[in-house]
Amino acid sequence: LPGSPTFAELLAASGYETVAFFSNPWLSDRLTGMLAGFDERFAETDDGMEILNSTDQGGARTLANFERWLEARRGDRPALVFVNFLEAHLPYDPPDDYRDAYLEDAPPGFVVTTAWAQEVNARATHASDAEIDRAARFYDGDVNTSDRYLGGLLRQLRERGLYDDTVIIVTSDHGENLGDHGYLDHQFGVFETLIEVPLVVRAPGLVEPGRRNDPVMLADIYDTVLEIAGVNDGPETPHSRSLLGSPFEASRPQIAEYAGANHELLSYLESLNPSLDLAPYSTAYSKVRIEDLELTVGSDGSTVLHDLAVDPSRTTDLAASRPDAVDALRSALPATPWSDPAESDIDEEMRARLRSLGYVQ
């Protein structure tokens, strides 16, 4: 909720050491403030543009920073550690050993560039099925790279005898469109390809091993972390529930929101294709799913209803024929003032970093 403390702020106030390792400029205080409460930060975005101007997205150095911190750490003060690996982002450029094993048919040195992806998004160029398939395979390579870094992190915990006493939560902030819905990258909507992401919680003695299929959300990480840490003075969180308890009722609403593309990305798309209708790209969306019914509403006035029990591919809009269901689901959505995708206050240095990642142009 706006104005509520982050769980890092609450844990820091409770005596935790709070440390963050990342290379994503969106995590900086200048843009989002998402790392409020992390007292110590190892930010690969701050020591030179060469990382973000190349296809090296900082993961190796992020992992090395974590290893050095872990090796130098002394005492038994509890720690909250956040590690973000950026590799599964455009541009897609897997390492040579992965290319040799799985991408032998690709041209030497080929990279799926951010510029090409945005040209496809702007309808300035057409991507063939073969090109989309190749982009997806290169993305798989970058996911594999992220997985290697995660494996390296877990290996360090094991080597120091910390693994069995460490709570580990693994997730992603978004998925990726790889030609899905006509797009590349992770913008322009609340598509299932973007919001259905992995969530793995390993909490020895607190969570039973196994797979859950009840309705959970990333927001649940907030209450889960607070309960694990024994912090009982957190704010009321209407859309967060601890994952340590019993499975949630099937009727629990699952909610996702998208604020619309930022002004600079819209301007770039328009420069690539001056005749492009920007309305679908700038529209903000909210989505709620309750059991098999899923409602998506847009700031452009659009309303789309799907029944996933009979239409898992989401091909038939039932909004006109089932107004009662639309009204019921809409009442479960939070009151959201649609964000204006106007130009944000980004200085030139930050704009350059974000441009290298494809977030702005």
Side-chain angles (χ1 to χ4, degrees):
L1 292 175
S4 297
T6 65
F7 61 66
E9 290 176 302
L10 293 170
L11 266 64
S14 298
Y16 274 71
E17 182 179 2
T18 54
V19 192
F21 303 85
F22 62 100
S23 60
N24 190 338
W26 272 126
L27 297 174
S28 71
D29 288 338
R30 281 188 286 174
L31 285 182
T32 62
M34 291 177 64
L35 294 184
F38 284 95
D39 295 329
E40 191 172 6
R41 305 178 189 185
F42 296 82
E44 284 302 325
T45 59
D46 289 336
D47 68 348
M49 285 298 302
E50 73 279 359
I51 292 177
L52 298 182
N53 279 339
S54 72
T55 53
D56 170 12
Q57 301 196 43
R61 288 160 71 167
T62 293
L63 182 60
N65 286 338
F66 173 78
E67 183 175 12
R68 283 191 291 269
W69 171 82
L70 199 61
E71 186 175 355
R73 189 166 181 260
R74 298 292 181 269
D76 56 1
R77 182 183 175 196
L80 170 67
V81 180
F82 170 79
V83 182
N84 177 252
F85 294 121
L86 192 60
E87 270 56 34
H89 283 75
L90 285 164
Y92 309 144
D93 182 19
D96 289 342
D97 61 341
Y98 187 92
R99 289 170 178 264
D100 292 343
Y102 302 104
L103 300 169
E104 291 179 298
D105 57 323
F110 177 81
V111 175
V112 180
T113 66
T114 305
W116 174 77
Q118 298 302 356
E119 288 172 4
V120 173
N121 289 335
R123 315 306 184 224
T125 190
H126 170 74
S128 68
D129 290 344
E131 289 174 314
I132 291 295
D133 178 70
R134 183 167 59 186
R137 293 168 61 210
F138 270 67
Y139 175 74
D140 288 346
D142 277 1
V143 171
N144 179 270
T145 300
S146 294
D147 191 58
R148 292 188 195 187
Y149 290 142
L150 174 61
L153 186 153
L154 299 179
R155 183 168 57 251
Q156 291 170 25
L157 292 175
R158 288 190 178 98
E159 290 173 352
R160 290 169 174 79
L162 300 172
Y163 181 79
D164 290 339
D165 297 321
T166 299
V167 172
I168 299 168
I169 299 176
V170 181
T171 190
S172 175
D173 55 335
H174 57 74
E176 195 84 340
N177 276 326
L178 297 163
D180 311 277
H181 310 286
Y183 297 116
L184 295 161
D185 203 19
H186 46 269
Q187 298 268 2
F188 315 129
V190 283
F191 307 114
E192 73 287 349
T193 45
L194 304 186
I195 64 175
E196 295 179 2
V197 298
L199 176 58
V200 179
V201 179
R202 182 188 181 276
L206 298 174
V207 175
E208 289 294 324
R211 177 174 231 160
R212 290 172 55 164
N213 60 4
D214 52 314
V216 303
M217 297 188 290
L218 291 186
D220 296 330
I221 294 174
Y222 188 91
D223 276 18
T224 303
V225 169
L226 295 186
E227 182 173 356
I228 290 172
V231 176
N232 301 314
D233 56 352
E236 291 294 324
T237 51
H239 301 295
S240 180
R241 300 286 185 273
S242 173
L243 296 168
L244 301 190
S246 301
F248 304 123
E249 295 292 331
S251 59
R252 182 198 183 194
Q254 294 172 285
I255 295 168
E257 295 178 312
Y258 172 68
N262 67 67
H263 174 79
E264 295 211 13
L265 178 54
L266 293 173
S267 296
Y268 180 60
L269 295 173
E270 188 174 37
S271 73
L272 295 172
N273 180 4
S275 64
L276 183 67
D277 178 10
L278 291 178
Y281 298 82
S282 59
T283 301
Y285 294 97
S286 289
K287 174 182 282 189
V288 57
R289 176 177 175 177
I290 299 178
E291 297 189 34
D292 291 321
L293 288 179
E294 181 182 84
L295 178 72
T296 305
V297 298
S299 59
D300 58 356
S302 59
T303 302
V304 178
L305 177 70
H306 291 125
D307 185 343
L308 304 183
V310 297
D311 181 27
S313 299
R314 298 170 172 87
T315 59
T316 303
D317 178 14
L318 302 174
S321 61
R322 300 181 66 176
D324 291 346
V326 170
D327 291 342
L329 267 69
R330 191 188 294 271
S331 68
L333 283 170
T336 304
W338 297 112
S339 299
D340 180 2
E343 184 172 8
S344 56
D345 184 16
I346 303 175
D347 61 31
E348 286 304 318
E349 180 185 9
M350 185 59 68
R351 180 175 286 107
R353 288 176 176 159
L354 295 174
R355 183 181 298 116
S356 71
L357 294 172
Y359 287 118
V360 303
Q361 298 295 334

